[in-house]
Amino acid sequence: MIRGACLCGDIRFEAAAAPQGPSMCHCSQCRKQSGGVWASAYVPETELILHGPVSWYAASAGAERGFCARCGSFLFWKAHDEDMISFALGAVEDPSGLKIEKHIFCASKGDYYEIADGLPQKP
């Protein structure tokens, strides 16, 4: 089982299902909220057990972002029309056993870095 927490420990989570789609997101919203590229994987929403006071921010009409109001850790991303929820790989307790499979929203990546690991890149 994958377990994780925010920086201060007020929010903890457990993924009861095997995570899918480990990726690095390069969209401008993830870069602004995380301070860089955001690594995540996803599970069915019913398979992610949350402990603690998650604050949700509707960053767009289609999705919301979950974070810790105390320490600011950006932990979750959830589309309104999907039953999956993404969680931050940076918040996962090691070892996770996960490996990044792809990069997403590469068309809006920052101009200050290159993606050079050979993994698939989605626009």
Side-chain angles (χ1 to χ4, degrees):
M1 179 179 289
I2 298 285
R3 290 182 169 85
C6 65
L7 183 61
C8 71
D10 278 1
I11 298 172
R12 303 193 62 73
F13 62 91
E14 301 167 355
Q20 302 172 48
S23 63
M24 304 287 282
C25 184
H26 300 268
C27 80
S28 61
Q29 287 186 359
C30 280
R31 289 187 293 111
K32 285 181 180 184
Q33 190 163 22
S34 71
V37 177
W38 193 61
S40 69
Y42 58 87
V43 293
E45 188 173 16
T46 57
E47 298 297 318
L48 190 69
I49 303 159
L50 302 176
H51 307 278
V54 177
S55 293
W56 293 94
Y57 172 65
S60 69
E64 58 188 356
R65 295 161 177 272
F67 63 97
C68 176
R70 181 174 174 205
C71 69
S73 295
F74 168 30
L75 300 168
F76 310 109
W77 184 90
K78 169 83 175 87
H80 297 307
D81 62 352
E82 295 178 4
D83 64 352
M84 302 298 234
I85 186 168
S86 296
F87 59 90
L89 294 181
V92 171
E93 297 170 2
D94 291 330
S96 71
L98 299 171
K99 301 287 184 222
I100 296 297
E101 297 174 355
K102 64 186 179 259
H103 295 269
I104 59 175
F105 295 100
C106 297
S108 61
K109 79 169 201 55
D111 64 354
Y112 49 88
Y113 65 94
E114 296 300 323
I115 304 170
D117 58 11
L119 293 173
Q121 297 181 25
K122 309 286 182 183

